[in-house]
């Protein structure tokens, strides 16, 4: 496997279900990101893990719970979602230089198309 | 506050013609970076090109070039000799102070 992979590619879940999205990067990067892409809206950054620490959480509802067990893996745990959470969820990774606080180009996975019924 | 504006929701261009996708930005950061990404119908975001705010020359990557005009705060993407496979959504993005924000995107259609 190369680049950034995401599973599953498609997910349909009911509002009472619990599911998890998985992301894996094979690029040796040290920062990973979750984005939400809804129709007709800009890409929304949800969570950032840099050097395995969560460094950003953009006021995301608690029904979304990220987990980053190591620098190569990122999960998004979902529970009691709402229909408006239906969207494309994209994972990305990048290389962050410690102490410089800068992140360069991000490499994205193919996304998980989530439908909440 | 940082902001990215892409004013063209959709564009149609004849194959082999050059196309310019507009992007303007607003930031108070002195150091920032500008990116363009391509998103085909498959959904994957593909990195195309990067321009640093201190780079004096416009970035180029193959058929892609970034027309960076710092005083006007614009970072337009130019695709030369467009191909049918260039049909996709294109997003302009800006990095500053560990944050990265994206524009709403421009849908580009290449006509045969």
């Amino acid at each position: 496997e190369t680049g950034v992979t995401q599973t599953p590619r498609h997910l349909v879940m009911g509002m009472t279900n619990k599911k998890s999205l998985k992301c894996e990067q094979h690029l040796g990067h040290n920062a990973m990101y979750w984005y939400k892409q809804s129709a007709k809206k800009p890409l929304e950054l949800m969570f950032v893990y840099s050097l395995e620490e969560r460094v950003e959480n953009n006021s995301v509802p608690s029904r979304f719970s990220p987990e980053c067990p190591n620098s190569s893996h990122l999960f998004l745990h979902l529970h009691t979602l709402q229909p408006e959470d239906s969207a494309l969820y994209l994972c990305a990774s990048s290389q962050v230089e410690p102490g410089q606080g800068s992140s360069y180009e991000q490499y994205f996975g193919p996304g998980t198309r989530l439908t909440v019924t | 506050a940082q902001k990215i504006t892409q004013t063209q929701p959709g564009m149609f261009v004849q194959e082999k013609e050059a196309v310019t996708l507009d992007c303007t930005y607003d930031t108070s950061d002195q150091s920032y970076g500008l990116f363009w990404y391509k998103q085909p119908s498959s959904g994957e975001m593909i990195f195309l090109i990067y321009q640093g705010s201190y780079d004096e020359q416009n970035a180029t990557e193959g058929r892609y070039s970034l027309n960076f005009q710092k005083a006007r705060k614009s970072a337009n993407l130019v695709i030369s000799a467009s191909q049918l496979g260039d049909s996709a959504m294109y997003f302009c993005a800006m990095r500053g102070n560990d944050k990265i924000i994206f524009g709403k995107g421009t849908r580009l259609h290449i006509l045969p």
Side-chain angles (χ1 to χ4, degrees):
Chain A
E1 292 274 18
T2 58
V4 182
T5 57
Q6 288 186 244
T7 54
R9 295 293 308 275
H10 300 272
L11 179 62
V12 179
M13 60 187 287
M15 289 191 283
T16 57
N17 290 159
K18 287 185 181 181
K19 296 284 184 183
S20 296
L21 309 185
K22 180 183 175 182
C23 175
E24 187 172 356
Q25 60 97 359
H26 309 269
L27 301 168
H29 289 161
N30 58 11
M32 296 186 77
Y33 311 78
W34 278 118
Y35 287 89
K36 176 184 178 183
Q37 187 177 27
S38 307
K40 301 179 182 178
K41 277 187 169 183
L43 217 58
E44 300 171 66
L45 180 62
M46 300 175 72
F47 301 104
V48 181
Y49 278 84
S50 179
L51 305 172
E52 298 175 36
E53 257 188 66
R54 190 193 306 184
V55 296
E56 187 156 341
N57 176 350
N58 280 346
S59 302
V60 179
S62 59
R63 56 186 184 267
F64 295 91
S65 172
E67 179 190 358
C68 187
N70 54 62
S71 60
S72 300
H73 294 85
L74 184 65
F75 295 91
L76 187 63
H77 304 300
L78 316 170
H79 65 97
T80 58
L81 294 191
Q82 304 298 310
E84 60 264 29
D85 298 322
S86 298
L88 179 68
Y89 289 84
L90 289 162
C91 172
S93 71
S94 73
Q95 186 64 19
V96 173
E97 298 302 320
Q100 295 186 20
S102 58
S103 56
Y104 293 93
E105 60 266 23
Q106 298 184 1
Y107 292 84
F108 285 80
T112 295
R113 175 75 59 189
L114 174 67
T115 304
V116 182
T117 60
Chain B
Q2 293 182 329
K3 189 178 178 182
I4 288 277
T5 303
Q6 294 181 254
T7 57
Q8 306 151 311
M11 287 186 70
F12 290 83
V13 172
Q14 209 69 37
E15 189 182 8
K16 299 181 185 176
E17 289 185 353
V19 57
T20 298
L21 305 181
D22 295 341
C23 174
T24 57
Y25 61 92
D26 194 15
T27 181
S28 55
D29 293 339
Q30 295 299 309
S31 176
Y32 52 89
L34 297 152
F35 306 80
W36 277 93
Y37 287 87
K38 172 185 178 182
Q39 187 179 40
S41 56
S42 59
E44 186 170 359
M45 296 279 277
I46 302 167
F47 166 72
L48 295 179
I49 196 166
Y50 168 79
Q51 178 87 41
S53 58
Y54 291 115
D55 294 341
E56 293 185 353
Q57 293 195 335
N58 286 346
T60 59
E61 287 288 345
R63 293 187 300 113
Y64 304 108
S65 61
L66 200 152
N67 184 1
F68 181 46
Q69 298 190 38
K70 196 170 182 178
R72 293 185 179 184
K73 293 189 174 179
S74 75
N76 298 341
L77 177 71
V78 179
I79 306 174
S80 63
S82 59
Q83 302 171 356
L84 295 178
D86 294 332
S87 294
M89 280 288 285
Y90 288 81
F91 292 92
C92 180
M94 177 171 64
R95 163 191 60 80
N97 288 344
D98 291 327
K99 291 184 184 293
I100 182 164
I101 59 170
F102 287 78
K104 291 185 178 181
T106 296
R107 182 165 295 283
L108 177 64
H109 302 268
I110 306 298
L111 304 172

